[in-house]
Amino acid sequence: MSLIVIAFLGGVFTVLSPCILPVVPFVFARSDKPFITDRLPLLVGLAGTFALVTALGVAGLAGAAQLSEYGRWIALATLALFGAALLFPSVADRLTRPLSALADRIVARSETQGTTRRIASSMLLGAATGLLWAPCAGPILGVILTGAALHGASWHTAAALLAYAAGAASWLAVASTLGKRAMDALKRSLGIGEHVRRATGALVLVTVAAIATGLDTRVLALIPGAPTNAIESKLVGTLKTKQAAHVQSQRAHIMRVSTQSALPVQGRLPSLDGATTWLNSAPLSANELRGKVVVVNFWTYSCINCLRTLPYLKTWAQRYGDDGLVVIGVHTPEFGFERDTGNVKRALANLNIRYPVAIDNDYGIWRAFGNQYWPAFYIVDAQGRVRFHHFGEGGYREAEDALRQLLADNGKTMPVHDAQAVQANGVQAAADPANIGSDETYVGYRQAQGFASPQRVRPDAVEDYSLPTQLPLNDWALAGKWNVGGEAAVAAGPQARIAYRFHARDLHLVLGPSADGKPVRFRVTIDGAAPGASHGADVAADGSGIVTNARLYQLVRQSGTVEDRTFQIEFLDPGAQVFSFTFG
């Protein structure tokens, strides 16, 4: 319920941001019409179309981006005709004749003919406006889309999406009502209703021209959006705080039960039939695993939090394998490239993972467990009952105590606990939580936050971007030619750059080579200089490196005092795909 309420408020505040300004004239153009038969259908059409287009993005349909882009031009043409109809009564008469004839055939001689035509016309206008509004998505919508991508379509996600659209539509309804009152006052006092109508039509045409030529982008780039972004970010923070509190309570519960002599039964091991294929093993089933203690780990190979849990999982598999422990990795992808089984095979070899891994590309096992987190692991006893679970990093000692207890319950003699520390190097080394002041940041427009280039993002289109004169902490920006997609930004030319002002010991970037697989050379700087001793595992001291395959790259590991730094990466070749920043 909290997500739905926050989504509604996020929709309200979206209307107050500069991003919404280009569609406002189309709403006010009908502010002098009756609410029920004209303005309400317009707002319903607007909210419905927005929800439909963004829902297509949630579903991951490959053509959603094209639909939004083509629909934008169709909408501009429709609204240009609408503006011309306001400006020139003869145009309005000609445009309404076909619609009137169609309405006459539908409603025959019904007494509600006029109302029906107005409702249909207003809803069509609202639908066209909704296509223009669809790219205007802030942090709240990013959270909704993230949840949908992780957990699949559900009534809860749909309700949050509709609440977001309803919040914006409700505020536009209030604004248009105030506009109607203002226009009514003008008509009564000055009798300039016809002039107002024509002026509104001219404003619509000017706005259409501005959007079509990109002038609105350049103008809006000069309007600060920070106030509303800050409000939305606070709402997102509230939501994340609630989620974090839930996870923390789960962890506290785990720590309490792990100290008890008997671990509680939390359910049964669900079916593993949802796997699309298996690596390092023949397909395994819940029945085949009876008699074994099983650790089921949900992960994905470009997730830094997942990578830092691997040393413990590999140690447990080796340490207790002869005692009847089976570790199973369930690889559930987040990004599109992680669905490529060849990429996963390469990752297993590079990470030296030898235990069975189920490829969960369809999220079948994920849903069977009702899982919501990367990483997450569940410990199952020899009778097939889930006895322990943990979300996120940490809790390794409690988890090992739990699996040792379940092995002992299964008749195995457990020696004195081995106090030898788990060794981890490179990206798998433990994070420095005391110095992490930056959060995971997505670059694709569906979930992006903190974007600071003066230019507004043009979804799925090549655009020239530039860096701001100053980059605040935890903001990032693009420079050069980029094509920003829903999931990643692609360097559309050589010397394309991305900068990030961060605070953490480690900076990682999920990168992919060009679409045709060609490697991409890059150069990294920290505060304008080569990283030197602060270079990451995938960068030389002079800052040079190369993207050879899609994965997480460690680019910075500060060797001295952790301070605010400005990271910059320049891609010397075109085609690099940039997905997300993570820190450690």
Side-chain angles (χ1 to χ4, degrees):
M1 181 59 68
S2 60
L3 175 60
I4 295 174
V5 173
I6 292 174
F8 181 86
L9 295 175
V12 170
F13 288 118
T14 295
V15 176
L16 300 179
S17 69
C19 182
I20 199 70
L21 293 182
V23 306
V24 170
F26 308 128
V27 177
F28 275 88
R30 290 212 166 189
S31 61
D32 62 338
K33 303 296 183 181
F35 180 78
I36 298 297
T37 58
D38 288 87
R39 286 182 288 138
L40 179 59
L42 182 144
L43 295 169
V44 170
L46 184 150
T49 304
F50 174 83
L52 174 62
V53 173
T54 49
L56 289 175
V58 169
L61 298 179
Q66 286 79 3
L67 172 63
S68 180
E69 185 65 21
Y70 297 150
R72 177 183 178 87
W73 289 105
I74 294 171
L76 284 172
T78 301
L79 294 167
L81 285 175
F82 172 72
L86 286 173
L87 188 58
F88 306 108
S90 60
V91 174
D93 182 62
R94 292 177 182 178
L95 289 177
T96 55
R97 285 176 189 173
L99 293 176
S100 297
L102 178 61
D104 288 341
R105 288 196 296 269
I106 295 174
V107 300
R109 297 181 178 179
S110 169
E111 294 181 354
T112 61
Q113 277 184 320
T115 300
T116 302
R117 286 198 297 269
R118 289 200 304 274
I119 291 175
S121 176
S122 296
M123 191 166 292
L124 177 62
L125 173 63
T129 307
L131 285 171
L132 290 178
W133 178 36
C136 186
I140 299 291
L141 185 58
V143 172
I144 299 171
L145 297 181
T146 302
L150 299 186
H151 316 316
S154 67
W155 72 267
H156 196 264
T157 299
L161 192 61
L162 289 173
Y164 185 91
S170 299
W171 190 245
L172 285 173
V174 172
S176 66
T177 299
L178 295 177
K180 179 182 184 305
R181 292 177 180 175
M183 286 189 177
D184 287 344
L186 285 174
K187 288 179 182 179
R188 288 192 302 269
S189 60
L190 302 176
I192 60 171
E194 179 63 20
H195 297 292
V196 170
R197 185 180 68 82
R198 292 191 177 218
T200 302
L203 178 60
V204 168
L205 291 176
V206 169
T207 304
V208 167
I211 296 174
T213 59
L215 178 62
D216 66 316
T217 299
R218 294 188 289 273
V219 172
L220 291 177
L222 304 176
I223 302 177
T228 54
N229 290 340
I231 294 172
E232 284 196 73
S233 297
K234 287 182 180 180
L235 292 173
V236 171
T238 301
L239 177 60
K240 289 184 175 180
T241 300
K242 286 178 174 290
Q243 293 175 337
H246 172 70
V247 173
Q248 188 62 38
S249 66
Q250 293 280 8
R251 290 178 178 174
H253 171 70
I254 293 168
M255 295 181 66
R256 287 196 300 271
V257 300
S258 65
T259 61
Q260 299 173 0
S261 59
L263 296 168
V265 175
Q266 302 176 5
R268 300 202 67 82
L269 174 63
S271 171
L272 303 176
D273 293 342
T276 55
T277 190
W278 286 78
L279 302 179
N280 293 343
S281 169
L284 298 175
S285 68
N287 288 335
E288 289 176 304
L289 292 169
R290 287 292 184 89
K292 302 284 188 178
V293 174
V294 182
V295 176
V296 178
N297 168 240
F298 286 91
W299 73 300
T300 184
Y301 80 84
S302 72
C303 162
I304 183 59
N305 309 97
C306 301
L307 293 174
R308 289 195 288 246
T309 66
L310 293 180
Y312 297 89
L313 293 162
K314 290 188 289 185
T315 298
W316 296 341
Q318 181 179 15
R319 184 177 291 173
Y320 302 109
D322 293 339
D323 296 316
L325 178 70
V326 177
V327 175
I328 297 175
V330 178
H331 188 274
T332 310
E334 179 180 12
F335 298 116
F337 66 82
E338 294 171 327
R339 296 177 178 275
D340 187 327
T341 303
N343 287 341
V344 182
K345 286 181 179 179
R346 185 184 301 110
L348 297 188
N350 293 337
L351 297 169
N352 194 28
I353 295 175
R354 300 179 181 178
Y355 51 76
V357 174
I359 302 299
D360 190 31
N361 282 352
D362 296 333
Y363 280 58
I365 303 177
W366 178 285
R367 287 191 294 268
F369 272 81
N371 186 56
Q372 299 184 28
Y373 304 101
W374 288 293
F377 55 84
Y378 301 79
I379 301 180
V380 182
D381 66 18
Q383 288 73 48
R385 301 173 299 180
V386 178
R387 305 290 296 277
F388 184 97
H389 68 273
H390 184 86
F391 304 135
E393 297 181 64
Y396 304 116
R397 179 60 181 266
E398 293 78 21
E400 187 169 2
D401 287 344
L403 68 86
R404 285 171 58 86
Q405 178 179 322
L406 295 178
L407 288 171
D409 292 344
N410 200 34
K412 303 298 180 181
T413 300
M414 290 290 100
V416 176
H417 194 280
D418 188 351
Q420 181 180 356
V422 172
Q423 299 297 318
N425 300 308
V427 296
Q428 298 182 49
D432 179 15
N435 283 305
I436 298 180
S438 299
D439 294 328
E440 180 176 12
T441 302
Y442 291 88
V443 177
Y445 62 76
R446 288 178 188 162
Q447 302 181 58
Q449 295 184 46
F451 182 65
S453 287
Q455 300 77 18
R456 190 174 64 177
V457 169
R458 285 187 61 200
D460 303 302
V462 176
E463 178 69 36
D464 264 314
Y465 297 93
S466 60
L467 301 181
T469 54
Q470 288 188 337
L471 201 59
L473 182 64
N474 294 328
D475 277 5
W476 61 280
L478 300 172
K481 292 186 180 296
W482 288 88
N483 188 335
V484 181
E487 187 174 81
V490 179
Q495 282 74 54
R497 292 174 291 152
I498 183 169
Y500 196 119
R501 184 75 172 169
F502 75 103
H503 186 101
R505 184 194 67 190
D506 303 338
L507 179 147
H508 315 96
L509 194 54
V510 178
L511 299 169
S514 62
D516 58 6
K518 290 183 180 179
V520 176
R521 298 168 300 155
F522 64 79
R523 181 168 50 242
V524 165
T525 61
I526 303 175
D527 293 335
S534 294
H535 70 90
D538 294 298
V539 181
D542 65 357
S544 62
I546 186 168
V547 182
T548 55
N549 51 73
R551 62 176 177 86
L552 179 141
Y553 289 76
Q554 185 186 77
L555 303 180
V556 175
R557 169 158 285 178
Q558 294 194 54
S559 58
T561 303
V562 176
E563 298 177 353
D564 295 354
R565 305 286 189 187
T566 298
F567 161 87
Q568 190 168 150
I569 182 169
E570 178 182 11
F571 296 99
L572 306 181
D573 307 304
Q577 303 175 69
V578 184
F579 294 85
S580 66
F581 288 90
T582 55
F583 303 91

